[in-house]
């Protein structure tokens, strides 16, 4: 099936840490760990970043981030995927550029420099470890329909999207997820809230991340959430 491109937003909760090495001096960089790092380590010894956030002094437009990233990819033969990002830690909000496609942690300073040369101003360095945060990411998504209301990401092999009929408040979603994962045979999946902007409106979605997940499992997850929404 053909993929199509939509604009979307993903909201997820993660434990994040600052990066204290492999960055430009006195800049603020956050590492978002891969939820399936242990799975991949069975097949490779390469330790590469999953998602990195370059924290900026002020918010930047989605348009500027996309345009600059495209120019960097063309100029330096890279394949970076960048998005507008907001991180909430308690009541504090941090703005930044979420970047995927960095091959090695040692590449981070050079890639930061490309964005700095393009006019982005980074926030001053901070240090923390394993802090719970709510992350909102605005980005383009390539999706492929695999069944009615179910999609596979065209850029992330292990990411899938499930349409749901209405909006779920974050606190309600967190409670639902806790209850569902404690009452399901296979709880080994990562899940987040999201929306697609397409067809002239908004479609509410769940983003499911798991290697080699089956359509049957995706349907089971959807059924569990729909029961909670009744």
């Amino acid at each position: 099936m053909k993929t199509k491109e939509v604009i979307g937003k993903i909201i997820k909760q993660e434990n994040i840490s600052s990066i204290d090495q492999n960055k430009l001096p006195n800049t603020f960089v956050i590492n978002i760990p891969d939820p399936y790092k242990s799975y991949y380590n069975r097949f490779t010894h390469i330790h590469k970043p999953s998602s990195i956030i370059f924290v900026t002094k002020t918010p930047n437009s989605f348009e500027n981030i996309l345009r600059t990233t495209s120019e960097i990819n063309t100029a330096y033969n890279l394949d970076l995927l960048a998005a507008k990002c907001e991180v909430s830690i308690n009541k504090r909000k941090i703005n930044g550029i979420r970047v995927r496609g960095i091959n090695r942690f040692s590449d981070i300073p050079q890639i930061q420099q490309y964005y700095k040369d393009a006019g982005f101003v980074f926030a001053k360095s901070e240090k923390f470890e394993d802090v719970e945060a709510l992350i909102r990411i605005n980005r383009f998504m390539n999706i492929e329909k695999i069944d009615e209301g179910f999609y596979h990401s065209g850029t992330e092999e292990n990411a899938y999207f499930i349409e749901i009929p209405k909006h779920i408040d974050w606190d309600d979603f967190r409670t639902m997820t806790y209850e569902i994962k404690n009452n399901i045979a296979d709880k080994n999946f990562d899940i987040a809230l999201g929306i697609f902007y397409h067809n002239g409106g908004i479609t509410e979605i769940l983003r499911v991340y798991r290697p080699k997940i089956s359509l049957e499992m995706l349907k089971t997850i959807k059924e569990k959430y729909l029961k909670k929404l009744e």
Side-chain angles (χ1 to χ4, degrees):
M1 293 184 181
K2 292 183 178 180
T3 62
K4 67 176 181 177
E5 190 172 62
V6 298
I7 298 175
K9 177 185 288 186
I10 297 295
I11 305 171
K12 60 182 182 176
Q13 184 174 300
E14 297 283 0
N15 280 40
I16 60 176
S17 301
S18 61
I19 288 180
D20 303 315
Q21 298 178 344
N22 294 314
K23 64 173 186 173
L24 292 181
N26 198 28
T27 61
F28 190 2
V29 179
I30 293 172
N31 180 47
I32 306 176
D34 188 331
Y36 282 88
K37 177 182 172 183
S38 60
Y39 177 90
Y40 291 112
N41 282 351
R42 283 184 268 163
F43 304 102
T44 178
H45 297 294
I46 298 173
H47 184 40
K48 62 186 293 184
S50 174
S51 291
I52 298 295
I53 299 173
F54 298 152
V55 181
T56 54
K57 193 172 182 179
T58 57
N60 292 274
S61 71
F62 189 28
E63 178 184 350
N64 191 24
I65 291 169
L66 292 177
R67 180 184 295 115
T68 300
T69 304
S70 178
E71 291 170 353
I72 289 170
N73 283 338
T74 299
Y76 301 103
N77 194 29
L78 296 173
D79 193 22
L80 304 176
L81 295 172
K84 181 179 173 64
C85 179
E86 180 186 272
V87 180
S88 298
I89 302 174
N90 295 321
K91 294 183 179 180
R92 183 187 178 198
K93 291 185 178 180
I94 298 168
N95 294 285
I97 312 165
R98 196 293 310 270
V99 182
R100 305 193 72 174
I102 301 175
N103 290 321
R104 295 178 294 272
F105 281 95
S106 57
D107 292 339
I108 290 173
Q110 183 62 72
I111 292 171
Q112 276 187 284
Q113 188 65 52
Y114 296 148
Y115 284 97
K116 184 177 180 181
D117 291 344
F120 288 84
V121 180
F122 298 119
K124 291 185 178 180
S125 181
E126 296 187 26
K127 185 174 182 178
F128 54 79
E129 186 173 354
D130 201 31
V131 171
E132 186 177 282
L134 192 63
I135 303 171
R136 295 174 173 86
I137 300 169
N138 290 75
R139 64 185 179 93
F140 276 107
M141 302 177 187
N142 288 305
I143 59 172
E144 176 187 353
K145 185 176 180 179
I146 55 175
D147 201 356
E148 194 62 40
F150 295 87
Y151 304 88
H152 181 215
S153 170
T155 54
E156 298 174 83
E157 181 183 356
N158 302 308
Y160 297 81
F161 306 99
I162 301 171
E163 290 185 5
I164 54 175
K166 62 182 180 179
H167 171 71
I168 308 175
D169 175 80
W170 175 260
D171 289 336
D172 291 338
F173 173 72
R174 185 167 55 181
T175 300
M176 287 179 188
T177 300
Y178 177 82
E179 293 172 353
I180 288 168
K181 284 202 167 189
N182 279 281
N183 290 280
I184 192 170
D186 187 349
K187 62 184 74 176
N188 191 26
F189 58 89
D190 184 71
I191 193 160
L193 271 178
I195 53 177
F196 290 152
Y197 300 96
H198 70 152
N199 297 331
I202 290 175
T203 300
E204 306 286 346
I205 60 165
L206 302 173
R207 192 276 285 135
V208 178
Y209 190 93
R210 170 177 162 159
K212 304 184 185 302
I213 194 169
S214 65
L215 179 59
E216 180 182 3
M217 180 64 180
L218 290 170
K219 288 183 176 181
T220 297
I221 293 170
K222 180 173 183 176
E223 180 183 347
K224 296 288 185 181
Y225 280 91
L226 291 183
K227 284 183 178 179
K228 294 289 183 183
L229 288 171
E230 290 178 351

